[in-house]
C-alpha cells in the first residue's frame, strides 16, 4: 500500500515483507515508471506478469487504485516462488511420461516374443505411476532384460515418490509463507479465477476467503 509524497514519489504506507521498517520511510522515485507501486499510485489498474519490485526482483503483480484516498495497492509474489511448484510438478510429469514410454517400447518388443505376463505387470505398474501411485514395485526374479527393466522401473518409482513428496512439502511451505505474509497474495488460474488467496488479501477487499475461491 502506497501513496504519493510531496515530491510525487511513491511512499510505502505499510511494512514490507523484506523491509519491516518501510512504512512512511521508504519510497520509489516517480521516474521508475515500470515499478508496480509507481504504476498503482498513478491510477492504473493492471496485471503485470513480469515486473520488478522495490528490491529489483522479478515478480507477478496486480495493481489497484483507491481513488478516494489516492492510494495505490500492489499485490505481488516473486516469480521464482510462484513458479517453483509448477516447475517441480512439470519435471515429475516428464519423468513419469518417460517411464511410461520406456515400458511401452519394452512391451511392444517382448510381447512380440511371446512374453506377456511380465509385461502385463510392468504395464499395470506404469499406469499406476502415471496416476501418481508409486507404492507398487515390480516383482520379477529374472536375470534377463525384463529383470533389468523391472529394477530400473523400481528405482524410477522411488525417485518419483521422493520428488512428489518434496513437491507436496514445497506447496505446503509456500501456503504457510503466503498465509503468514503481511501482504495480500493470490493466485489465478488461466480462466482468471482465484485458486488461492491469503487472509490479508481477503481482508483488504472485505471478503471471506471461501467467498473468493
Amino acid at each position: 500500500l502506497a501513496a504519493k509524497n510531496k515530491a510525487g514519489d511513491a511512499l510505502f504506507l505499510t511494512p514490507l515483507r523484506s523491509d519491516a521498517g518501510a512504512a512512511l520511510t521508504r519510497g520509489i522515485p516517480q521516474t521508475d515508471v515500470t515499478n508496480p507501486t509507481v504504476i498503482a499510485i498513478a491510477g492504473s489498474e493492471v496485471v503485470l506478469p513480469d515486473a520488478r519490485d522495490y528490491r529489483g526482483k522479478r515478480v507477478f503483480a496486480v495493481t489497484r487504485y483507491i481513488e478516494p484516498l489516492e492510494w495505490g495497492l500492489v499485490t505481488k509474489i516473486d516469480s521464482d516462488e510462484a513458479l517453483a511448484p509448477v516447475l517441480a510438478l512439470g519435471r515429475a510429469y516428464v519423468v513419469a511420461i518417460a517411464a511410461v514410454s520406456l515400458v511401452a517400447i519394452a512391451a511392444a518388443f517382448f510381447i512380440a516374443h511371446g512374453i506377456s505376463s511380465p509385461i502385463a505387470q510392468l504395464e499395470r505398474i506404469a499406469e499406476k505411476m502415471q496416476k501418481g501411485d508409486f507404492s507398487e514395485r515390480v516383482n520379477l526374479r529374472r536375470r534377463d532384460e525384463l529383470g533389468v527393466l523391472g529394477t530400473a522401473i523400481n528405482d524410477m518409482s522411488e525417485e518419483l515418490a521422493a520428488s512428489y513428496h518434496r513437491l507436496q512439502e514445497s506447496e505446503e511451505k509456500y501456503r504457510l509463507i503466503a498465509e503468514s505474509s503481511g501482504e495480500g497474495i493470490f493466485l489465478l488460474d488461466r480462466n482468471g479465477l482465484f485458486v488461492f488467496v491469503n487472509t490479508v488479501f481477503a481482508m483488504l477487499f472485505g471478503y471471506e476467503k471461501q467467498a473468493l475461491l
Side-chain angles (χ1 to χ4, degrees):
L1 196 63
K4 289 183 180 180
N5 61 14
K6 293 181 179 180
D9 297 329
L11 179 67
F12 291 110
L13 301 178
T14 56
L16 301 175
R17 178 178 176 183
S18 300
D19 186 356
L24 302 178
T25 61
R26 184 166 185 167
I28 298 177
Q30 59 181 311
T31 54
D32 189 359
V33 294
T34 61
N35 186 280
T37 305
V38 174
I39 292 173
I41 66 170
S44 297
E45 297 189 342
V46 294
V47 176
L48 302 170
D50 187 16
R52 292 192 180 272
D53 65 0
Y54 60 92
R55 304 164 298 168
K57 290 185 175 292
R58 296 179 63 184
V59 296
F60 294 120
V62 177
T63 68
R64 290 293 181 267
Y65 184 62
I66 306 174
E67 187 172 356
L69 301 175
E70 296 184 343
W71 289 357
L73 174 67
V74 178
T75 300
K76 67 179 183 66
I77 183 172
D78 290 357
S79 298
D80 292 342
E81 185 178 356
L83 295 176
V86 177
L87 294 176
L89 183 59
R91 287 192 293 270
Y93 276 127
V94 168
V95 175
I97 291 172
V100 173
S101 300
L102 179 63
V103 172
I105 293 171
F109 176 81
F110 286 111
I111 287 177
H113 290 75
I115 307 175
S116 59
S117 180
I119 295 299
Q121 181 184 163
L122 295 176
E123 288 181 327
R124 184 183 69 255
I125 294 175
E127 289 175 356
K128 287 187 175 182
M129 291 170 62
Q130 191 174 24
K131 295 176 181 178
D133 180 1
F134 309 109
S135 59
E136 188 172 355
R137 296 291 180 267
V138 178
N139 184 21
L140 295 179
R141 301 179 182 277
R142 307 169 65 108
R143 296 184 178 180
D144 57 7
E145 291 82 0
L146 278 177
V148 173
L149 180 59
T151 300
I153 290 176
N154 285 340
D155 293 340
M156 189 176 298
S157 181
E158 291 177 1
E159 293 176 4
L160 283 171
S163 297
Y164 187 75
H165 180 69
R166 288 194 297 269
L167 175 60
Q168 289 180 315
E169 290 181 337
S170 176
E171 290 177 338
E172 183 61 24
K173 181 180 178 181
Y174 165 75
R175 288 183 178 275
L176 291 174
I177 292 174
E179 192 58 42
S180 62
S181 172
E183 299 179 27
I185 296 175
F186 71 95
L187 289 176
L188 302 175
D189 62 17
R190 65 179 60 187
N191 297 316
L193 301 177
F194 290 106
V195 295
F196 173 80
V197 297
N198 69 353
T199 302
V200 174
F201 182 87
M203 291 175 61
L204 285 172
F205 291 92
Y207 288 97
E208 294 290 335
K209 290 173 59 176
Q210 292 77 6
L212 296 173
L213 299 175

